[in-house]
Amino acid sequence: VVNSNYNTVYGAPYYSEINMVSGKKVWMQTSSTIQFGAQGDITGPGQFELDAGCTLITAHPLGFSANGNSTVGNGSIICAGNKSINASGNFIYNGTASQITNDGLPTSLNGNLTINNPTTVTISSALTLGNASVLTLTSGGLILDSTTLTITNTATSAITYTSGYIQSETNMATN
């Protein structure tokens, strides 16, 4: 159980992983945070659960995979057991190489999404940010390609911006 602590699973230059045993689970509770390096991951036959309010941070180029068998490759959470990712979690993509969100990012997100990658993060499938969600652009581009990004939060704080841009397949919006 990861509970109210900040934990790091580093990657390069050291390959690091948490290898889960069958019947065991990494369970993130009570606003806890776990950060994955570019090659860090949770693997094995075990399970993973993310509660509302918890934060996943990844520098892995392949983001988070929902089932460990993504057609585009696996990211930071690739355990073969059940995964429960609460849509009210928070997700931060902070790599230094281009990243994809992959199929582990909920398609209807009620938590927050932060892009802090000096290159780009590409959304892998249509994404809806809920009424209380905030999209934070800290660095780099959020690439939509042929996917749709819907932001239902109508507050002026729904998108916060330090640096970066959102790019569709036909144009680029900057602030």
Side-chain angles (χ1 to χ4, degrees):
V1 173
V2 179
N3 190 338
S4 297
N5 293 316
Y6 189 92
N7 295 275
T8 302
V9 181
Y10 293 101
Y14 307 102
Y15 186 78
S16 178
E17 67 180 27
I18 298 172
N19 190 352
M20 295 301 299
V21 177
S22 182
K24 300 296 179 182
K25 153 170 69 171
V26 171
W27 184 6
M28 294 183 61
Q29 300 177 329
T30 318
S31 301
S32 60
T33 297
I34 191 166
Q35 178 172 350
F36 295 94
Q39 294 179 347
D41 59 32
I42 296 175
T43 187
Q47 303 172 30
F48 180 85
E49 184 172 343
L50 174 81
D51 286 353
C54 295
T55 301
L56 292 177
I57 304 171
T58 188
H60 199 293
L62 298 176
F64 302 107
S65 172
N67 60 18
N69 295 308
S70 173
T71 57
V72 296
N74 298 314
S76 296
I77 302 172
I78 57 174
C79 54
N82 291 334
K83 288 185 201 70
S84 175
I85 308 289
N86 191 298
S88 293
N90 303 301
F91 299 85
I92 300 172
Y93 292 83
N94 70 342
T96 56
S98 293
Q99 292 178 273
I100 61 170
T101 58
N102 214 331
D103 59 5
L105 179 69
T107 57
S108 291
L109 189 61
N110 296 314
N112 300 317
L113 175 63
T114 300
I115 306 302
N116 186 14
N117 179 322
T119 60
T120 60
V121 176
T122 301
I123 293 179
S124 299
S125 60
L127 176 63
T128 299
L129 298 178
N131 291 334
S133 296
V134 174
L135 171 61
T136 301
L137 300 173
T138 304
S139 174
L142 178 61
I143 308 301
L144 305 181
D145 279 344
S146 60
T147 60
T148 302
L149 172 63
T150 303
I151 300 172
T152 61
N153 184 347
T154 58
T156 57
S157 60
I159 300 176
T160 62
Y161 172 84
T162 303
S163 176
Y165 56 92
I166 299 173
Q167 179 179 330
S168 72
E169 63 184 325
T170 57
N171 62 41
M172 183 170 52
T174 60
N175 187 348

